[in-house]
Amino acid sequence: MKTKIFTSPSAQLETPCLVAVVVDRGEKDKTEVIVSTEERAVADAAAELISTGDLSGKNFELSWLYHPRGLKAERLLLIGGGKASRFTPSELRKVAGAAVRALKSRSLRSLAFLLPQTISPSEAARAVVEGAVVGDFDPDTYKSDRKDQKIGELTLVARGDDPMLERAAEEARIIAESQNFTRELVNEPSNHMTPTMLANRARLMAQETGLRSETYGADKIRELKMGAFWGVAQGSDEPPALIILRHEPAGAPQTPVLGLVGKGITFDTGGISIKPADGMEKMKYDMAGGATMLGTMRALALLGARVKVVAIVCATENMPSGKAQKPGDIQTAMSGKTIEIINTDAEGRLVLADGLSYARQLGCTHLVDAATLTGAVVVALGYTNAGIFSNDDQMCQRFQKATERAGEKMWRLPLDDEYREQIKSGIADIMNTGGRWGGAITAAMFLKEFAEETPWIHLDIAGTAWMEDGKPWIAKGPSGIAVRSLVEFVKGFANS
Ligand code: BES
Ligand code: MN
Ligand code: ZN
């Protein structure tokens, strides 16, 4: 999507569709719909429609005006932004996505979006571009009747000349396209996204963006003594891949070095502790954590973030076979800790354990991991919030601030020492499951053992990486959750 900026009066703008947000600034039960612009021409064009009382200003309500009086635009789309008092950049992001999706379904390819004046121009530009690019994505790679329905051009209509505007729009485009890059990977089924193919996609992206990349196979995984990772990988005929991407920009300080570790299970059958057939097809998205880290690295490279970041994706299938690990087996992790395998379906924490150790060995001073780790996080937080876990309050608070700015919903869950009891093993250092209760927490407690003293954040995105239903602003399917927050977090890291 090409973005342009238009700073002359919007009445002059020739476009197939001019989009303006209407909000309700009425108090209590009264509605009082207004167009969120001071530009007379647009407000005038909308005035008659508004005076009918047909508009409520409710979120994502669409009203189309053709050949609006006084404007050069062919159409004026008024889209509801909800209550004026609650109209934040996060709401604007969704409104922009919803507008784009409404246009796409009408085969329109170009739009102009009037930036609402209640939000600072560069923040508004960012929200609109991010929302529009994310809204433009559909997981239709394998549809033979796929039409190329992408929006070609987005014009931001702003008042005055804000020098920051162009940059904000460009950064937003990079970030949202990186989120879509992640969604593209997550959408691929396991026969089109083996560990080797994931590594190839990572390498190609690295070449395009100037990241350093390395990929290792089974030999190196064993040589590094990644017994936990290998325990999962040994059961599959598909070779595993240890994917490493490095962002080391000239002029970045020696420390901090941020390590991003992603779960890259390209298909999770459960292994010998096999999953029921019902719904197993969804386990193609069990590499979403890894894809999240790849998307994040793409954005960081293109933005030129001045901080060192290393991404590690532990990619393998989790399969039952004659070579597969079995419940009761004991694996020795890279850190030296011994793990009693109770359930081979708790494989994510195994591959991440060694990923975290490896990140520490490579000199990372701070760690973040992302994983579709547990069904239990879905029980705890549903499909709305991702789970955050951390051993470092300061790092965590900074991350939580980043999630707010990025407009992504995540909720911190506890990691009290008491939960450690649940993963004690009678015969090894630790077990890979913690019983029925608090499953998202005991999984995180397991990872904490491998983060050791390093400040660390764990994101459990099992409930949020795949959207069961579409929303007005985003397609159903892979969400790309956490890419925007991670990029925002790293940008903050670079400035401190
Ligand atoms: N990949 C799954 C978790 C998952 C569940 C992701 C639902 C997305 C949607 C993970 O590997 C898994 O199987 N976890 C088990 C752990 C259990 C055996 C302790 C689970 O949550 O049931
Ligand atoms: Mn599993
Ligand atoms: Zn899994």
Side-chain angles (χ1 to χ4, degrees):
M1 190 184 298
K2 249 179 52 192
T3 58
K4 291 205 275 184
I5 291 166
F6 186 84
T7 50
S8 310
S10 50
Q12 302 305 316
L13 182 62
E14 288 178 32
T15 171
C17 187
L18 178 66
V19 181
V21 183
V22 294
V23 290
D24 174 13
R25 70 161 177 207
E27 306 212 321
K28 299 217 181 90
D29 297 337
K30 268 195 6 222
T31 44
E32 187 190 350
V33 175
I34 55 159
V35 186
S36 64
T37 175
E38 283 155 25
E39 277 206 60
R40 282 289 0 136
V42 177
D44 286 348
E48 195 180 325
L49 180 58
I50 288 175
S51 72
T52 61
D54 287 0
L55 300 197
S56 71
K58 273 213 193 72
N59 295 75
F60 317 121
E61 178 186 56
L62 304 174
S63 315
W64 299 83
L65 276 171
Y66 298 90
H67 306 296
R69 206 180 308 143
L71 303 183
K72 287 196 174 149
E74 289 167 38
R75 303 171 183 74
L76 176 61
L77 170 59
L78 300 175
I79 182 164
K83 285 275 177 211
S85 57
R86 273 188 258 141
F87 190 67
T88 57
S90 284
E91 291 305 315
L92 177 57
R93 192 185 278 108
K94 291 193 279 187
V95 164
V100 158
R101 295 192 69 70
L103 260 85
K104 281 187 82 173
S105 67
R106 285 165 177 79
S107 298
L108 295 169
R109 300 293 155 81
S110 162
L111 73 155
F113 201 105
L114 201 65
L115 298 186
Q117 276 155 18
T118 49
I119 294 171
S120 82
S122 55
E123 267 205 283
R126 173 186 167 171
V128 169
V129 173
E130 284 182 0
V133 173
V134 169
D136 201 20
F137 177 92
D138 276 292
D140 56 2
T141 321
Y142 293 99
K143 294 268 193 201
S144 16
D145 64 348
R146 167 182 209 200
K147 308 178 193 80
D148 194 17
Q149 286 248 341
K150 292 263 176 286
I151 299 281
E153 195 177 272
L154 166 65
T155 304
L156 301 175
V157 185
R159 293 235 314 192
D161 234 340
D162 187 327
M164 303 290 278
L165 220 59
E166 204 132 349
R167 210 174 122 206
E170 174 64 7
E171 284 193 9
R173 191 179 56 77
I174 289 170
I175 293 168
E177 285 177 356
S178 298
Q179 179 177 349
N180 288 350
F181 172 82
T182 292
R183 295 165 81 193
E184 211 61 85
L185 297 179
V186 173
N187 188 52
E188 293 288 353
S190 74
N191 63 326
H192 290 274
M193 190 51 70
T194 62
T196 308
M197 294 174 190
L198 184 61
N200 289 343
R201 298 279 275 257
R203 186 179 312 118
L204 205 69
M205 181 274 283
Q207 279 164 5
E208 285 167 6
T209 59
L211 294 163
R212 273 177 60 198
S213 85
E214 299 149 78
T215 307
Y216 298 110
D219 289 345
K220 177 80 170 191
I221 292 167
R222 283 194 300 253
E223 187 189 307
L224 287 167
K225 297 195 170 0
M226 294 180 149
F229 183 4
W230 176 246
V232 179
Q234 71 182 41
S236 174
D237 284 346
E238 278 300 334
L242 173 62
I243 304 166
I244 300 147
L245 296 182
R246 285 189 165 88
H247 173 63
E248 290 164 336
Q254 282 306 108
T255 56
V257 182
L258 183 63
L260 304 177
V261 182
K263 170 177 175 181
I265 302 295
T266 58
F267 196 79
D268 181 12
T269 66
I272 296 298
S273 315
I274 199 160
K275 289 181 181 294
D278 220 18
M280 202 202 272
E281 73 283 354
K282 288 185 58 191
M283 283 302 117
K284 67 168 189 170
Y285 86 83
D286 214 18
M287 35 60 77
T292 299
M293 296 322 192
L294 298 180
T296 302
M297 292 301 279
R298 180 188 184 277
L300 295 175
L302 293 174
L303 294 172
R306 289 167 68 85
V307 58
K308 286 190 171 181
V309 188
V310 182
I312 296 168
V313 179
C314 300
T316 175
E317 294 183 332
N318 184 26
M319 295 289 283
S321 81
K323 292 182 293 167
Q325 67 176 345
K326 300 173 280 296
D329 286 1
I330 295 183
Q331 307 291 11
T332 305
M334 187 184 183
S335 75
K337 287 204 165 87
T338 54
I339 305 165
E340 183 185 5
I341 308 299
I342 300 298
N343 189 319
T344 64
D345 198 11
E347 84 296 343
R349 64 199 75 181
L350 296 173
V351 306
L352 288 173
D354 284 342
L356 291 167
S357 296
Y358 191 47
R360 296 182 74 238
Q361 192 191 82
L362 292 180
C364 295
T365 60
H366 296 73
L367 300 169
V368 184
D369 76 70
T372 46
L373 202 64
T374 66
V377 83
V378 194
V379 175
L381 298 173
Y383 295 118
T384 303
N385 277 280
I388 311 181
F389 303 82
S390 181
N391 63 0
D392 189 286
D393 289 342
Q394 201 198 339
M395 182 177 175
C396 192
Q397 277 154 19
R398 284 171 57 179
F399 184 79
Q400 286 175 291
K401 278 264 170 290
T403 67
E404 282 162 34
R405 282 194 296 270
E408 295 186 311
K409 287 183 191 279
M410 304 197 194
W411 195 260
R412 188 177 184 183
L413 292 169
L415 281 180
D416 302 283
D417 290 336
E418 284 86 339
Y419 295 105
R420 179 67 178 76
E421 291 297 310
Q422 285 176 249
I423 51 173
K424 256 191 180 158
S425 164
I427 56 165
D429 295 333
I430 192 170
M431 304 194 295
N432 82 326
T433 60
R436 186 165 161 73
W437 309 114
I441 298 174
T442 50
M445 286 303 285
F446 182 96
L447 298 178
K448 183 167 170 255
E449 294 288 312
F450 297 89
E452 303 190 45
E453 299 310 312
T454 308
W456 152 83
I457 290 169
H458 157 58
L459 304 175
D460 194 337
I461 57 172
T464 46
W466 193 271
M467 319 243 319
E468 291 299 328
D469 306 303
K471 298 273 164 48
W473 63 92
I474 189 169
K476 120 181 203 185
S479 68
I481 183 77
V483 171
R484 293 205 310 264
S485 296
L486 283 165
V487 173
E488 185 66 30
F489 177 65
V490 175
K491 281 196 329 201
F493 230 75
N495 299 331
S496 69

